Each structure stands twice: as C-alpha cells, then as structure tokens.
Amino acid sequence: MTDTPAALHEGHHADVSGGWLRPAVFGAMDGLVTNIALIAGVGGGGVSPHSIVLTGVAGLVAGAISMGLGEYTSVRSANEQVAAEVAKERRELERHPEAEARELADAWVARGLPRDLAMQVAEAVRANPEEALRVHVREELGVDPDDQPSPWVAAISSFLFFSAGALIPLLTYLLGATSLWLALAVGGVGLFAAGAIVARFTNRAWWSSGLRQLLLGVAAAAATYLVGTLIGVQGGL
C-alpha cells in the first residue's frame, strides 16, 4: 500500500485561524458549565423546579447574548489591531524598502538560510509590493492579513453553541422530570460528550478530553451547590 504524502492533499490541515471552531467550542463548554452550575446552585438552595427552569432559561438567554457580543467585540478588535499594524508595515515598506528587505533577510538568516540567498529572496519579494507586505506581516506579526476570522462568524457560532450547551442540563425539567440530580447527570453526560468531540480536532484521547471537561464541570457544580445550600439554609432561619 502506497503512503501518499499529506502535502499532496489540499486541506490536510484543520482550520486553525480562529474562524468558527474556537468560539463554538468555548460557547458549548461555557453554556454547559454555566447552566449546570446555575441549576446546581439554585437547586441546592431548595427552590422549586419552576424556579430552576426560570433560572436556567434566563442564564441561557443572558449568557448566549453575552458570549455573542463578547466574541464579536473581541474578534473585531483583534482584526482592527492587525489592520493598524499592517498599515504601519505598509508605510515602512514605502519609506524604507531597503531596510525592510534587510530585516526580512536577517530573519531568514537566523533560521539557517545563507545570507546571500536570503538577500536574493528578500529582493525578489520586494519587487512585488503586495506580496512583500504579506510576507513581512507574516514574518514580523505571525498573522496572515488575508485570512482573518470574521467577527460575525465568531459571534453567531458562540451564540448558537452556548445556547445548545446551556439547554442540555435543562432538558429533563423541560420534559417534565423534577429531579435535580437527573438534570445534573444529563449535564455531566453532555460535558463528557462535548470534551470527547473536541478531541477529534486535537488528537487528544477522547476519554481523556471528555473526562477533563466532566471534572471541570463537576468542580463548578459542587462549588455553586455548596453556596446554594448555605444560602438556602441561612435564608430559612
């Protein structure tokens, strides 16, 4: 059986530019942990199932909106910062092209390229101003100016996946069950499954990734359950 080099397959690498995957993962995990912790906290305080559902739905709506707006603002601010640095680099290339070419060559020499060859390549790149700008930005800033994540994609992904994650621990109540522990168990299953799914993109063992997310969720739920129990007891005195 012939092993075909991965480089011959277009798209053999996953998208790591921060498009939809990062906000989706953070949104789903945050939604799960947030609502599991909220339900554990108010449930520990001894409130009615109706109050638990109300708290969970409010947490879902508020959290999803907050996550969406936060992702939009974060990604747009990062893109604007990159744009400002690209504009600065463009001005430097226009004003001091020789110095910029030497700077680029120095970076390649530091990586082991012979200086003569590094200068030849830098001069060849300099002949194409737009390509020179892209190369300098990649080398000096570590970003691709033509491949920046969309703030709208990040915001919508975060909003939708937070909502989906936050809905999971509410499912049993919405279906008519009134057991707090059943809801928390379903939320725990959701955390483990989400962690296992994320492992597909990271090459981490699925059970290890799932267990890690489950333990983090259990820690958050335990803390809020304790707080809810203490406040509930004190409120009843």
Side-chain angles (χ1 to χ4, degrees), residues 164-184:
L167 181 63
I168 291 175
L170 283 174
L171 286 176
T172 58
Y173 283 104
L174 295 176
L175 293 175
T178 58
S179 170
L180 171 64
W181 300 110
L182 178 59
L184 295 180

Side-chain angles (χ1 to χ4, degrees), residues 213-235:
Q213 296 303 325
L214 177 59
L215 291 176
L216 291 173
V218 167
T224 54
Y225 182 83
L226 178 62
V227 171
T229 299
L230 292 174
I231 293 176
V233 170
Q234 291 176 357

Side-chain angles (χ1 to χ4, degrees), residues 130-185:
E130 288 304 314
E131 184 60 27
L133 177 63
R134 284 191 287 271
V135 172
H136 277 269
V137 169
R138 290 193 192 102
E139 290 292 330
E140 297 180 31
L141 302 179
V143 298
D144 186 342
D146 297 327
D147 188 26
Q148 294 302 296
S150 164
W152 284 109
V153 170
I156 293 171
S157 296
S158 183
F159 179 91
L160 292 178
F161 280 86
F162 182 98
S163 300
L167 181 63
I168 291 175
L170 283 174
L171 286 176
T172 58
Y173 283 104
L174 295 176
L175 293 175
T178 58
S179 170
L180 171 64
W181 300 110
L182 178 59
L184 295 180

Side-chain angles (χ1 to χ4, degrees), residues 6-59:
L8 298 180
H9 295 284
E10 185 177 353
H12 65 281
H13 285 297
D15 178 16
V16 295
S17 63
W20 66 270
L21 181 58
R22 183 190 61 84
V25 170
F26 278 118
M29 295 301 182
D30 201 7
L32 275 161
V33 174
T34 296
N35 252 14
I36 288 172
L38 273 175
I39 290 172
V42 296
V47 302
S48 67
H50 175 76
S51 296
I52 291 177
V53 172
L54 177 60
T55 301
V57 171

